[in-house]
């Protein structure tokens, strides 16, 4: 694990917190006070992705940013599996441990299905949903077809399939501490000015050995092994989601998760939702456009603080 006190030259200056409720040492940031904003990262990032949002929202909100098992400052236990359902289990345990309620979910990449799994299991905990280039998988009939169509054109998913077929997937992702930049670029960000020595070190640090890369390998390999189990929400969860204020912010240059495949699923899960596509912004939109992401999230939080849908606020 990364040293809990590591700030990466002051770019991640947040007090570390840990929960063992899920049976391993799970790191999370817990900054500010007020309505809870729970930010979930994806592959192969960690809470560092949300560093700008933490700083900008914590004056008015309680911002909680966990690192999934096998990522960031969290433990990478050798005796666990790293499938989607395992991460949902962990989030459910963390939410209970912290006694969370009235939660706004912020979802990026695989944090989308993980957070939607939490919504499916514990719908009463969630009051708003914000997808930031994160698939809102929620049992939609068209979900398998959307993922299949997206995988056919995505460089990341194509590479996973080919590497798995060649038997090189484990070795490549096991060396993620070395090839983190090429992996992030394959998924896609547009703003090369963000690349600094501190930034590279922060994203490479969770993966110093092949054993430490089990989380990143699990996300990728689970697709090829059909090991991920997307939560199938019941009627109560579907009804709850349909009434929630929801926002999708999508970098239009996302080469990993194409808007044309995933925004229809967002609308299907959240018919009261609102979408903003961001031109010139890639898959890692919180890195490409942190100020824009923060401004739009603040607008959404302010506009829906009384439980209204954003579309109703704009219409008024």
């Amino acid at each position: 694990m990364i040293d809990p006190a590591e700030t990466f030259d002051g770019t991640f200056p947040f007090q570390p917190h840990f929960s063992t409720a899920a049976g391993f040492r799970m790191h999370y940031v817990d900054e500010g006070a007020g309505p809870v904003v729970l930010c979930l990262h994806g592959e192969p990032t960690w809470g560092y992705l949300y560093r700008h949002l933490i700083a900008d929202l914590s004056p008015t909100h309680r911002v909680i940013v966990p690192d999934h098992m096998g990522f960031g400052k969290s433990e990478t236990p050798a005796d666990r599996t790293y499938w989607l359902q395992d991460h949902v289990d962990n989030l459910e345990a963390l939410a209970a441990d912290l006694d969370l309620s009235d939660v706004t979910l912020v979802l990026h990449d695989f944090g989308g299905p993980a957070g939607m799994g939490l919504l499916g299991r514990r719908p009463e905990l969630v009051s708003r949903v914000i997808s930031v280039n994160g698939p809102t998988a929620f049992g939609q009939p068209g979900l398998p077809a959307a993922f299949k169509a997206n995988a056919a054109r995505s460089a990341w998913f194509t590479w996973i399939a080919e590497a798995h077929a060649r038997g090189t997937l484990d070795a490549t992702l096991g060396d993620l501490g070395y090839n983190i930049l090429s992996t992030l670029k394959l998924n896609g960000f547009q703003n090369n000015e963000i690349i600094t020595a501190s930034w590279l070190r922060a994203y490479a640090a969770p993966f110093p050995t092949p054993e430490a890369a089990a989380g990143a390998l699990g996300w990728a390999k689970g697709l090829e092994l059909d090991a991920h189990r997307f939560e199938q929400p019941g009627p109560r969860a579907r009804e709850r989601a349909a009434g929630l204020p929801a926002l999708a912010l999508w970098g239009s240059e996302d080469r990993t998760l194409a808007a044309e495949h995933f925004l229809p699923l967002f609308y299907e899960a959240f018919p009261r939702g609102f979408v903003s596509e961001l031109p010139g912004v890639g898959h890692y939109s919180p890195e490409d456009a942190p100020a824009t992401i923060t401004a739009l999230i603040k607008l959404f939080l302010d506009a829906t603080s009384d439980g209204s849908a954003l579309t109703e606020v704009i219409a008024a």
Side-chain angles (χ1 to χ4, degrees), residues 101 133 143 170 181 249 278:
S101 62
N133 291 79
L143 184 65
D170 292 52
L181 180 58
L249 304 176
L278 310 178

Side-chain angles (χ1 to χ4, degrees), residues 133 153 187-188 250-259 281-284:
N133 291 79
R153 58 172 286 187
N187 276 297
W250 213 276
S252 61
E253 299 301 318
D254 191 333
R255 300 190 299 274
T256 298
L257 300 170
V281 175
H283 176 66
Y284 296 108

Side-chain angles (χ1 to χ4, degrees), residues 200-290:
L200 278 173
R201 190 163 63 87
Y203 278 123
F207 311 114
T209 66
E211 293 76 18
L217 180 61
W219 279 127
K221 201 167 186 176
L223 296 168
E224 294 307 305
L225 299 178
D226 194 28
H228 296 314
R229 294 291 172 260
F230 292 87
E231 193 71 21
Q232 295 297 316
R236 185 170 67 95
R238 291 178 187 274
E239 182 179 0
R240 173 75 173 174
L244 290 179
L247 172 67
L249 304 176
W250 213 276
S252 61
E253 299 301 318
D254 191 333
R255 300 190 299 274
T256 298
L257 300 170
E260 65 185 88
H261 299 304
F262 294 105
L263 290 183
L265 298 176
F266 171 82
Y267 279 125
E268 191 172 345
F270 304 107
R272 301 173 72 195
F274 187 80
V275 168
S276 180
E277 294 193 60
L278 310 178
V281 175
H283 176 66
Y284 296 108
S285 45
E287 294 287 5
D288 273 348

Side-chain angles (χ1 to χ4, degrees), residues 39-118:
C39 304
L40 305 178
H41 71 83
E43 168 86 323
T45 60
W46 58 286
Y48 192 80
L49 178 78
Y50 289 113
R51 63 197 182 280
H52 302 296
L53 193 62
I54 296 168
D56 290 337
L57 289 187
S58 57
T60 54
H61 291 76
R62 181 185 178 190
V63 186
I64 300 174
V65 185
D67 294 332
H68 295 303
M69 181 173 65
F71 293 88
K73 296 184 178 182
S74 287
E75 187 181 2
T76 308
D79 60 346
R80 300 282 291 264
T81 56
Y82 290 81
W83 314 136
L84 171 59
Q85 58 272 25
D86 300 313
H87 294 295
V88 178
D89 290 344
N90 298 338
L91 289 173
E92 189 175 17
L94 179 68
D97 190 32
L98 300 184
D99 194 25
L100 299 184
S101 62
D102 193 20
V103 171
T104 297
L105 292 175
V106 179
L107 315 173
H108 180 261
D109 190 84
F110 252 116
M116 295 301 289
L118 180 64

